[in-house]
Amino acid sequence: MVCGTRPELIKLAPLIRLIGARATIVYTGQHYDTAMYHRIRRDIGSPGRFHELAVGGARRGTQLGSAVAAVDELLAEHPTTAVVVQGDTTSALAGALAANANDVPLVHVEAGLRSYDRAMPEEHNRVAIDHLADLCCAPTELNRANLLHEGVPDERIAITGNTVVEALATALPHHDEEAVVLASHELRQDGYVLATIHRPENVDDPANLETILRELSRLPLPVVLPLHPRTAKRVAGFGLTGLLANLKVVEPQAYPAFLALARCAAVVVSDSGGIQEEVSVLKRPVVVVRRSTERPEIEGTFGTLVPPGQRVRTEVLRWLDDVPGHRERLGRIPSPYGSGSPSAVIADALRQLVRGEPPVLTPERVVVPPPASRPRGSRVPHSNSSS
């Protein structure tokens, strides 16, 4: 498995634990926060091998080239059954290109997401990975439809749900632990807004960043802002530090603590893709501050998509008009990303891809009904060593 960011490690953790000693992890270090990395590394179990690279701190093209070369070298030295990548990062694309260069079957977890926004680098990555992949693990039926529309054969697609539902269930703290998190920040349930902003379209544009911070500071509830390192750098560089005075700025949170803050918030404001999935499991509303989203499944239920501007505040106020009522209503809506064990469905599809075995699925393990034709790989695996 090739990954290089915190979200990839979090989402692949259930699959890593399931595969166990047969798994080899290649961590590129695309994003590297020492404290956060060690917390997540501790929680992902014990794979058979763990390789750490160091491709961070460079331009995207340089990162990609370095990561492809490094993964290619590892695949040449350690023949493997299949390469698994998750999502749409530079590291995921590097793993896909290296697998293709070595004629190793490629599995794409979280396939078929589309924003149709070519200004997003991630959109190019996810399209390229899907068309290289031998097995596209699509979280939802909409994702499968996107792939079919682009000509990806149905036999290369499996609807699996999203492993975020497992990762979240494993990391979600108990209510007594949740109370400790709230007390440490002097917060009460439904008495604050949680905000996360880090995407380049928002923080690299001084006008957008200023607008978002101003709109957040005008809200009637305290706004908790775990400050992403990229955002902190831009705030300082653009001379916007004063706009943080009316916000409750905190350090980036460990995943369980962040989930506690999200579950107890009246509303979440974010430009994160993963949070759009997480709120559908936590049953909280999110105002998505972006020009486009690759996760439209939550629009009109858990989420509202708005560009930077006055609508940020307007939409938050709409969710604040009846917080208990919204909490109760959203609690009745199933997450479009499934439940149970998506990683078990992925593991079964992976087994069929590399060994030709039929998938072993039980009702408890099937998250979303799979297509009638299960994935069947066309490549001959190099060996049965690791995935």
Side-chain angles (χ1 to χ4, degrees):
M1 299 183 192
V2 179
C3 55
T5 67
R6 176 193 180 202
E8 288 168 291
L9 277 173
I10 289 173
K11 288 185 174 183
L12 284 174
L15 186 60
I16 294 169
R17 284 192 290 267
L18 189 64
I19 296 176
R22 293 172 294 165
T24 295
I25 310 303
V26 179
Y27 186 72
T28 69
Q30 176 184 332
H31 292 170
Y32 202 95
D33 179 280
T34 303
M36 193 66 67
Y37 165 75
H38 284 301
R39 290 191 196 104
I40 298 169
R41 177 74 177 87
R42 180 189 59 204
D43 294 337
I44 63 174
S46 300
R49 289 193 295 267
F50 196 101
H51 299 279
E52 291 189 51
L53 311 178
V55 303
R59 291 173 56 87
R60 185 160 54 94
T62 303
Q63 279 189 342
L64 178 61
S66 299
V68 171
V71 177
D72 176 77
E73 184 175 339
L74 284 172
L75 291 177
E77 294 177 357
H78 305 284
T80 187
T81 303
V83 169
V84 178
V85 298
Q86 194 279 333
D88 51 25
T89 66
T90 299
S91 296
L93 179 58
L97 291 170
N100 183 260
N102 285 272
D103 197 31
V104 177
L106 173 67
V107 178
H108 187 199
V109 175
E110 205 172 84
L113 278 66
R114 296 291 183 270
S115 67
Y116 300 102
D117 182 352
R118 290 180 57 82
M120 294 178 64
E122 298 91 341
E123 182 76 357
H124 300 272
N125 292 352
R126 62 178 74 104
V127 171
I129 297 168
D130 282 336
H131 286 269
L132 288 170
D134 298 276
L135 172 61
C136 292
C137 297
T140 70
E141 181 61 47
L142 176 60
N143 304 145
R144 173 176 176 268
N146 290 339
L147 293 167
L148 293 173
H149 179 72
E150 294 176 6
V152 177
D154 191 28
E155 62 268 20
R156 283 169 45 196
I157 306 170
I159 299 180
T160 61
N162 195 307
T163 58
V164 71
V165 302
E166 285 175 275
L168 188 152
T170 301
L172 194 64
H174 296 296
H175 288 291
D176 56 344
E177 297 170 317
E178 184 176 83
V180 171
V181 172
L182 294 188
S184 70
H185 296 293
E186 300 181 323
L187 300 169
R188 60 178 178 82
Q189 179 173 308
D190 294 338
Y192 62 95
V193 174
L194 176 65
T196 72
I197 301 295
H198 75 284
R199 293 188 63 80
E201 68 185 82
N202 288 328
V203 304
D204 289 356
D205 184 313
N208 283 351
L209 182 55
E210 180 177 0
T211 297
I212 292 168
L213 294 177
R214 287 193 185 280
E215 292 302 308
L216 291 176
S217 67
R218 294 175 61 206
L219 292 172
L221 291 180
V223 176
V224 179
L225 178 67
L227 195 59
H228 191 281
R230 181 192 190 97
T231 309
K233 182 178 180 179
R234 296 296 185 267
V235 167
F238 297 148
L240 302 175
T241 305
L243 293 178
L244 301 179
N246 293 327
L247 306 175
K248 193 175 185 66
V249 177
V250 299
E251 294 292 322
Q253 302 291 291
Y255 192 48
F258 178 81
L259 292 177
L261 291 173
R263 182 165 65 177
C264 293
V267 60
V268 179
V269 179
S270 182
D271 56 11
S272 164
I275 288 177
Q276 295 174 61
E277 300 162 345
E278 289 161 346
V279 295
S280 74
V281 182
L282 298 171
K283 312 305 180 186
R284 304 310 305 129
V286 62
V287 175
V288 182
V289 187
R290 287 169 57 168
R291 59 176 172 251
S292 62
T293 180
E294 63 284 353
R295 294 169 173 87
E297 292 91 344
I298 67 160
E299 289 189 59
T301 53
F302 298 98
T304 309
L305 180 68
V306 300
Q310 293 183 352
R311 280 192 62 200
V312 173
R313 179 173 177 270
T314 300
E315 291 299 328
V316 172
L317 292 176
R318 185 175 69 82
W319 284 110
L320 293 180
D321 66 356
D322 180 15
V323 175
H326 291 309
R327 183 179 284 275
E328 193 276 333
R329 179 178 61 83
L330 293 179
R332 299 194 303 267
I333 303 175
S335 170
Y337 303 106
S339 60
S341 181
S343 64
V345 183
I346 293 169
D348 285 331
L350 173 59
R351 183 181 301 111
Q352 185 186 25
L353 173 70
V354 300
R355 296 181 181 175
E357 296 178 0
V360 181
L361 299 176
T362 66
E364 293 77 18
R365 293 169 68 185
V366 176
V367 191
V368 184
S373 177
R374 300 293 296 171
R376 190 175 303 278
S378 56
R379 294 181 183 170
V380 176
H382 286 214
S383 74
N384 290 326
S385 58
S386 60
S387 54

